[in-house]
Amino acid sequence: MTFPANIYSNSFSDSISAVVGNLDIDNPNKSTDFIQSLNTEQAQAVTHIGGPLLVVAGAGSGKTRVLTNRIAYLINEHNVSPYQILAITFTNKAAAEMVSRVAKIVGPVANKMWVSTFHSACSRILRYDGDVVGVKNGFTIYDTNDAARLVDYARRDIGADPKRFSAKSVYRMISSMKNEMITPAMAIERADMDTQSTVAKIYAEYEHRLRNANAVDFDDLLIKVVEMFRTSPEKLAKYQARFQHILVDEFQDTNLAQFELVSKIATEHRNITVVGDGDQSIYKFRGADHQNFGRFEETFDDAETVILNTNYRSTENILQAANSVISNNSNRLKKDLISDKGVGEAITVFYAASDRSESQYVI
């Protein structure tokens, strides 16, 4: 299924407007009201004055609450225009929830913020300025099935064996290269085996077909904006001036292109807040790179770090078991979760004979 270029802009904005419009926000709370309900670490993150901020948020520690309250604090206490705020989440549902929470505190001005997924935000940027990187207005977005079909056409064009180079497997390889900012020319140059050389040639033909169709795939939404920021100082300056404060949720799930995207915008004003937990990074198979935490600390070496380690979901016994497992992870930002729910029941270990017996035991 192909998507019109504005699927991530107008339709999403309309849904956000509907959410905000249904809220009882005639009398938004004062910022001091919601700050008093936070714990010490949460309040420290919310009231961070300016500059880069890294919030290491353990499971169940209230990271969404911190993000929404920080946005409200910036608007209420520092008179930051919602128009100058870019907040990135990983699902449209999470974005809508964030806007509704902020609106309950600051009122309908929350609707002026850009709160969206990476792909939604990049689609809007390309709709405005994509011509500078060869993406004409009115471009079409190909979903994974469309993209795999186009890869198959490209494979046939260069005469590659369909048994050795299936469309879906080659598309996954192309997607991985795009997430690592590897162009077709770079892929061809780096290929040191016949298989890699063939994949690189398919990649080049695939890109040629995309451009001829004035189409982009999901990965292009990201890398074309990064390309724009690399090659057009004027366009980069435009979005640096527009977005004075950037907040990124689920930072452990970002890839290299996503990191470069937000870091380039934030380089000028340096008001960037990232929230995440490397111990919860499970999406490496789709390009997520937990090393972005290290890249963040290198790029923004004056960043303040706040660790949220109070868990509001689980008992102490569960958290101690989790801490014991997590402590074996390498290159992690150390934290030990503590519970506000007491010791709780002892953990029971059950060895299941099959997935069915496991599910029956849990039920």
Side-chain angles (χ1 to χ4, degrees):
M1 177 184 293
T2 56
F3 298 101
N6 66 348
I7 190 171
Y8 294 111
S9 52
N10 295 338
S11 60
F12 180 71
S13 297
D14 291 343
S15 67
I16 291 295
S17 297
V19 169
V20 175
N22 290 330
L23 292 171
D24 180 14
I25 51 179
D26 291 333
N27 296 300
N29 298 323
K30 296 297 182 182
S31 59
T32 53
D33 295 337
F34 62 80
I35 291 175
Q36 290 173 358
S37 67
L38 304 174
N39 68 32
T40 302
E41 291 75 25
Q42 290 173 338
Q44 182 183 356
V46 166
T47 59
H48 175 74
I49 295 176
L53 173 65
L54 170 59
V55 180
V56 182
S61 61
K63 67 179 181 62
T64 303
R65 188 181 191 189
V66 165
L67 273 173
T68 55
N69 286 342
R70 175 153 180 75
I71 293 171
Y73 179 79
L74 291 172
I75 295 171
N76 274 4
E77 292 297 311
H78 292 277
N79 297 318
V80 174
S81 169
Y83 184 81
Q84 296 178 315
I85 294 175
L86 171 63
I88 298 292
T89 67
F90 272 77
T91 66
N92 285 338
K93 180 180 179 181
E97 179 185 357
M98 185 177 294
V99 173
S100 68
R101 288 194 187 190
V102 175
K104 288 178 181 178
I105 302 173
V106 303
V109 294
N111 196 37
K112 300 294 184 182
M113 301 183 300
W114 271 31
V115 183
S116 65
T117 65
F118 273 104
H119 293 89
S120 299
C122 289
S123 176
R124 293 177 72 177
I125 292 173
L126 289 176
R127 186 162 58 89
Y128 297 140
D129 297 303
D131 58 306
V132 300
V133 286
V135 180
K136 300 175 184 177
N137 197 13
F139 62 88
T140 301
I141 301 170
Y142 282 5
D143 69 6
T144 53
N145 290 329
D146 293 321
R149 193 177 301 114
L150 195 64
V151 167
D152 197 44
Y153 293 150
R155 176 201 59 75
R156 282 189 282 177
D157 285 346
I158 70 167
D161 184 353
K163 293 182 178 179
R164 291 183 61 197
F165 301 96
S166 72
K168 288 186 177 181
S169 63
V170 173
Y171 172 66
R172 285 194 294 269
M173 286 186 266
I174 291 174
S175 179
S176 295
M177 285 188 281
K178 286 190 174 186
N179 286 330
E180 295 176 14
M181 304 300 296
I182 298 173
T183 65
M186 293 166 63
I188 291 172
E189 182 180 349
R190 295 179 184 184
D192 55 8
M193 294 188 296
D194 289 342
T195 300
Q196 294 174 338
S197 178
T198 300
V199 170
K201 291 176 182 177
I202 296 173
Y203 181 13
E205 179 60 26
Y206 168 74
E207 284 295 285
H208 177 69
R209 281 178 167 269
L210 277 177
R211 300 292 82 81
N212 283 346
N214 192 30
V216 297
D217 58 27
F218 285 132
D219 298 310
D220 282 334
L221 293 173
L222 301 174
I223 67 171
K224 283 298 178 182
V225 175
V226 172
E227 180 185 341
M228 178 193 304
F229 291 162
R230 285 180 174 181
T231 59
S232 175
E234 178 185 352
K235 296 301 182 185
L236 175 59
K238 171 184 175 180
Y239 289 98
Q240 287 176 334
R242 167 68 190 271
F243 299 120
Q244 297 290 313
H245 288 268
I246 300 173
L247 302 97
V248 183
D249 193 12
E250 304 290 4
F251 188 65
Q252 75 277 356
D253 293 335
T254 56
N255 59 35
L256 186 59
Q258 290 164 337
F259 172 77
E260 183 169 347
L261 178 71
V262 294
S263 62
K264 279 191 175 297
I265 299 176
T267 298
E268 179 68 21
H269 53 69
R270 301 182 69 80
N271 293 321
I272 179 170
T273 298
V274 299
V275 181
D277 180 10
D279 293 329
Q280 298 183 60
S281 181
I282 60 173
Y283 290 113
K284 185 175 182 180
F285 67 91
R286 69 181 188 192
D289 189 350
H290 72 278
Q291 295 184 58
N292 279 347
F293 285 98
R295 294 188 180 102
F296 181 85
E297 292 180 310
E298 290 176 4
T299 304
F300 303 98
D301 55 7
D302 57 336
E304 179 182 352
T305 299
V306 177
I307 298 178
L308 307 182
N309 61 355
T310 301
N311 179 288
Y312 294 94
R313 295 178 188 164
S314 305
T315 62
E316 194 65 37
N317 280 333
I318 292 174
L319 295 182
Q320 285 184 6
N323 288 334
S324 296
V325 174
I326 293 171
S327 64
N328 294 295
N329 292 354
S330 58
N331 300 320
R332 62 184 292 261
L333 292 168
K334 189 177 184 303
K335 67 179 183 311
D336 289 316
L337 296 176
I338 57 176
S339 174
D340 76 333
K341 294 186 176 297
V343 176
E345 298 179 9
I347 292 176
T348 300
V349 179
F350 173 72
Y351 292 94
S354 67
D355 55 348
R356 181 173 292 274
S357 64
E358 178 183 357
S359 61
Q360 289 175 337
Y361 176 81
V362 171
I363 292 172

